[in-house]
Amino acid sequence: FTSFLHLLGTSEEVTPPLQQSFMIPKKEINMVSDMAKWKRSQAYADYMGFILTLNEGVKGKKLTCEYKVSEPIEKLVALLNTLDRWIDETPPVDQPSRFGNKAFRTWYAKLDQEAEKLVATVIPKHLADAAPEVAVYLKESVGNSTRIDYGTGHEAAFAAFLCCLCKIGVLRVDDQMAIVFKVFNRYLEVMRKLQKTYRMEPAGSQGVWGLDDFQFLPFIWGSSQLIDHPNLEPRHFVDEKVVNENHKDFMFLECILFITEMKTGPFAEHSNQLWNISAVPSWSKVNQGLIRMYKAECLEKFPVIQHFKFGSLLPIQPVTS
């Protein structure tokens, strides 16, 4: 994949207004045979390029290290803080079934109503026309309000949301670390709170054969953070003491901590795939393996990608370059 960097402006440039007509993204993958269109699309190339560019950008870096925080990054964090506050304002309701608390629908209705306004706070005035297109990905990124579930397709929508903000020049090359460490990390915190508060079901869960019930990207970027670490090896992440001492620095360990809080019983039983990964000799091997697994298990699976939406920023048209 060509690096996504060519799509990100450098901070010195002043982005001219885009001569572009935006559109409301829509479903294009309606049957399994449409998957070939997706794999050849500009959207797939840009999405994957974005994921891999960020993967390089956070290599060997701790969550707690110093990095530049631009104004759009601050505004994105504020947007996520708003979503978090709405959870506090929408407590779960009493209902007979344990899972899928219906209060999530109330919370979601608020986002559905406010999403464009929220996005408009992040993008400059001359790009206001992009807000309705970009807002669709934000709405798709928090779970499904009918089924009250959440999975890697929703997570992909959030990455697509950030990718769109890069394509219109709101986020830049030197925002890379902040995109993962500040914005995506805050997104994860809010999603974990949603999952816990409303007891959301895992969407299209592979059960014990999946990597995790809900997320995938933090394992990719989190393993990249650990590449060439002087003493933390993959075998250490199943050690409770190591996780407790280092989770604030590494996204991967933060994910492990959340799993162990949510699940009972031996790690090897409830998270078999991760247990297997702990036997891989190096973090760079783990990272490469997870990227392959992400393509195969998420991006190339019809049940996940059928919900993905395509517009002017992430087009279904075949790659042009």
Side-chain angles (χ1 to χ4, degrees):
F1 285 92
T2 50
S3 163
F4 190 78
L5 289 169
H6 69 282
L7 293 167
L8 293 166
T10 55
S11 46
E12 288 75 52
E13 294 169 24
V14 177
T15 320
L18 284 180
Q19 296 308 308
Q20 163 163 19
S21 49
F22 296 102
M23 61 180 276
I24 300 295
K26 56 185 206 296
K27 250 170 76 77
E28 299 277 2
I29 310 297
N30 299 307
M31 42 185 147
V32 177
S33 57
D34 292 335
M35 290 296 283
K37 264 199 308 198
W38 153 242
K39 282 185 250 180
R40 284 197 300 265
S41 71
Q42 190 62 50
Y44 184 87
D46 287 347
Y47 179 86
M48 209 54 223
F50 181 64
I51 300 301
L52 295 176
T53 298
L54 294 175
N55 190 56
E56 277 303 304
V58 299
K59 202 180 203 165
K61 307 276 201 307
K62 291 180 175 182
L63 285 169
T64 49
C65 75
E66 292 281 308
Y67 50 84
K68 175 184 165 275
V69 178
S70 63
E71 199 184 342
I73 294 285
E74 296 283 16
K75 288 175 171 173
L76 282 165
V77 172
L79 181 158
L80 291 164
N81 291 343
T82 300
L83 303 190
D84 191 343
R85 195 184 69 244
W86 291 349
I87 302 174
D88 297 333
E89 292 167 6
T90 318
V93 293
D94 275 337
Q95 60 175 47
S97 63
R98 245 176 81 214
F99 287 95
N101 195 281
K102 290 182 179 58
F104 175 72
R105 292 181 183 147
T106 311
W107 179 90
Y108 184 85
K110 192 156 195 172
L111 173 62
D112 196 33
Q113 210 183 333
E114 302 288 327
E116 275 184 42
K117 272 194 215 121
L118 287 173
V119 171
T121 64
V122 179
I123 60 183
K125 291 277 182 285
H126 72 273
L127 291 169
D129 289 355
E133 175 164 348
V134 176
V136 168
Y137 295 102
L138 179 64
K139 288 192 280 195
E140 297 276 317
S141 75
V142 297
N144 180 286
S145 66
T146 311
R147 295 187 302 272
I148 313 182
D149 66 4
Y150 176 94
T152 50
H154 302 110
E155 179 189 70
F158 191 74
F161 166 68
L162 297 172
C163 182
C164 288
L165 291 174
C166 288
K167 291 193 80 170
I168 60 175
V170 172
L171 297 172
R172 313 272 181 150
V173 171
D174 51 1
D175 288 318
Q176 277 183 81
M177 282 167 69
I179 289 172
V180 179
F181 292 170
K182 234 183 155 48
V183 180
F184 194 81
N185 206 40
R186 185 72 186 104
Y187 165 75
L188 283 176
E189 290 168 0
V190 178
M191 291 310 105
R192 286 173 185 143
K193 187 165 166 178
L194 278 180
Q195 289 152 19
K196 263 190 193 156
T197 306
Y198 303 122
R199 304 294 301 268
M200 296 176 80
E201 301 267 14
S205 170
Q206 316 254 322
V208 76
W209 303 113
L211 188 64
D212 174 83
D213 281 344
F214 298 111
Q215 313 297 155
F216 203 114
L217 291 172
F219 292 96
I220 295 179
W221 295 330
S223 59
S224 182
Q225 283 184 279
L226 285 154
I227 290 174
D228 296 332
H229 192 284
N231 41 22
L232 287 180
E233 293 170 31
R235 64 192 170 92
H236 291 121
F237 77 73
V238 290
D239 178 336
E240 208 178 322
K241 185 170 177 288
V242 172
V243 172
N244 288 333
E245 286 170 9
N246 297 282
H247 70 93
K248 286 190 166 65
D249 283 325
F250 300 104
M251 221 171 218
F252 195 101
L253 302 182
E254 200 69 84
C255 290
I256 301 296
L257 185 70
F258 185 66
I259 291 171
T260 53
E261 280 173 6
M262 300 298 280
K263 302 206 165 184
T264 50
F267 193 89
E269 283 174 25
H270 62 62
S271 302
N272 190 260
Q273 282 281 26
L274 282 167
W275 179 259
N276 293 338
I277 286 170
S278 71
V280 174
S282 73
W283 284 111
S284 63
K285 283 266 188 296
V286 169
N287 186 245
Q288 290 159 7
L290 286 173
I291 290 166
R292 279 198 305 272
M293 185 178 172
Y294 185 59
K295 288 180 190 168
E297 298 303 319
C298 301
L299 301 185
E300 295 177 6
K301 285 280 186 279
F302 176 72
V304 176
I305 295 304
Q306 64 172 330
H307 304 293
F308 198 89
K309 297 199 167 144
F310 301 84
S312 73
L313 295 168
L314 290 170
I316 189 69
Q317 282 71 31
V319 177
T320 45
S321 55

